[in-house]
Amino acid sequence: MSARRIDGKAAALDLRQRVAGEVAKLRSASGRAPGLAVVLVGEDPASAVYVRAKGKATIEAGMESFEHQLPADTPEADLLDLVDRLNADPAVDGILVQLPLPPQIDANKVITRIDPDKDVDGFNPVNAGRLAIGLHGFVPCTPLGCLKMLRAELGDLSGRSAVVIGRSNIVGKPLALLLLSDNCTVTIAHSRTRDLPAVVRRADIVVAAVGRAEMVKGDWIKPGACVIDVGINRVGPVEPGAKGRLVGDVDFASASEVAGAITPVPGGVGPMTIACLIRNTFVSAARREDFRYGKDL
Ligand code: NDP
């Protein structure tokens, strides 16, 4: 058996085009474009790549992108001041502070300072709380992208057993809550889980968000299960200048022989994460302008 390959790039393009259509309508109704402010502190190369990709996608959707690049030694107080200014700026609908932050800055303090109604990353504790009790807020982009791909692949998720491997605040926990609200029976696995292969083998839906290259093997997967691989791991040569290659947390070759459907890495969850950020920024502007948009966004 060979699993269907879930095309995250195509799904992301479709979502971004639909958002762009709604953005055009919002612009003509309100006379302004939604705006996303992205703050990068320091020069982490991976973060710089993500920030560039986010800015490009924002502009392509017809929205304004405001990029703020600060030096690595920026004091925490200066970053908090910038967040306060962005909170007060009417042209800014979404604020994203790229993580990780340098050691002198407490990321939790910064995340908590972002206005929850502009927190398009969904990391502010107010939005985490809203998600936990089923209120409208902002859902973190990676879990939202995973949910959208699962719904597109499987339709109604009701009654399915789901195992989420990983319990981080930005992926594992929010995704488990989203699956629960779609009526899955959810198990959250982590580094202390006993006999992880047996736990995974029971699942109709497997989401791996661990950060360990190709950890989940094909013989852990129930035949026909749907596998979403969130992991991004660089493997290969370690010599200076050598780039290596990106792999997920799932051993794609062996898992594809057993699963019903699977996301590749790259080209799976990654593109959907950016598309969901664009979506959340539009939604923030739409809420502020009291603008109605299609429910399936
Ligand atoms: P974290 O490091 O914050 O969390 C990893 C989780 O995996 C923890 O809950 C940890 O358990 C668990 N874990 C670690 N080792 C094992 C193990 N041997 N068995 C079972 N569970 C284990 O990572 P993130 O959630 O931030 O990210 C996970 C992965 O997803 C990374 O590869 C990251 O790069 C990628 N990612 C991809 C994104 C995308 O857009 N595609 C976006 C965000 C992340 P414990 O809590 O017990 O320590």
Side-chain angles (χ1 to χ4, degrees):
M1 186 170 146
S2 187
R4 223 184 73 78
R5 197 184 164 99
I6 300 174
D7 188 344
K9 266 194 193 165
L13 185 65
D14 174 64
L15 178 56
R16 282 166 57 174
Q17 283 174 341
R18 285 187 289 126
V19 172
E22 294 291 350
V23 167
K25 287 188 230 158
L26 184 144
R27 286 178 72 144
S28 58
S30 71
R32 75 171 186 99
L36 173 64
V38 180
V39 182
L40 175 63
V41 187
E43 276 150 27
D44 177 58
S47 294
V49 170
Y50 292 139
V51 164
R52 265 202 305 278
K54 287 166 184 174
K56 187 166 169 270
T58 306
I59 290 163
E60 281 172 8
M63 306 196 290
E64 293 253 37
S65 168
F66 309 105
E67 283 184 30
H68 296 265
Q69 178 137 21
L70 307 180
D73 61 356
T74 299
E76 185 182 86
D78 290 8
L79 178 57
L80 293 172
D81 281 349
L82 173 60
V83 169
D84 288 343
R85 286 201 300 280
L86 297 173
N87 281 342
D89 185 342
V92 172
D93 298 287
I95 303 169
L96 181 157
V97 178
Q98 185 67 40
L99 302 178
L101 289 167
Q104 76 278 13
I105 299 177
D106 178 349
N108 278 328
K109 223 181 200 178
V110 176
I111 288 167
T112 306
R113 190 76 155 243
I114 295 171
D115 177 348
D117 295 331
K118 293 189 176 187
D119 169 40
V120 285
D121 246 349
F123 295 165
N124 184 296
V126 171
N127 282 318
R130 285 170 172 162
L131 175 61
I133 64 171
L135 296 177
H136 284 290
F138 287 110
V139 173
C141 302
T142 299
L144 183 60
C146 294
L147 181 75
K148 284 182 180 296
M149 284 194 284
L150 283 166
R151 284 180 179 163
E153 186 60 35
L154 300 172
D156 185 7
L157 304 185
S158 207
R160 296 182 196 255
S161 67
V163 169
V164 179
I165 319 172
R167 56 176 164 179
S168 71
N169 291 332
I170 62 171
V171 189
K173 275 186 214 158
L175 182 58
L177 287 167
L178 287 173
L179 292 171
L180 186 62
S181 70
D182 262 32
N183 301 312
C184 290
T185 303
V186 183
T187 302
I188 306 176
H190 45 78
S191 65
R192 314 289 172 88
T193 298
R194 290 195 192 141
D195 198 357
L196 184 59
V199 172
V200 172
R201 225 170 267 131
R202 291 199 292 268
D204 304 316
I205 293 168
V206 179
V207 183
V210 184
R212 286 180 182 254
E214 299 176 324
M215 184 186 83
V216 177
K217 308 295 179 200
D219 63 1
W220 298 20
I221 307 290
K222 175 172 161 180
C226 187
V227 179
I228 305 289
D229 190 352
V230 181
I232 302 176
N233 310 287
R234 194 170 284 284
V235 294
V238 286
E239 303 87 57
K243 278 190 123 184
R245 63 190 176 98
L246 292 182
V247 298
D249 291 340
V250 178
D251 177 15
F252 187 83
S254 65
S256 315
E257 285 173 19
V258 190
I262 184 167
T263 58
V265 176
V269 174
M272 270 306 269
T273 295
I274 294 189
C276 288
L277 173 68
I278 301 309
R279 181 249 176 221
N280 279 357
T281 304
F282 161 74
V283 167
S284 177
R287 286 178 186 160
R288 198 157 289 113
E289 298 295 337
D290 213 6
F291 175 84
R292 298 225 173 158
Y293 57 93
K295 264 195 182 149
D296 61 339
L297 212 62

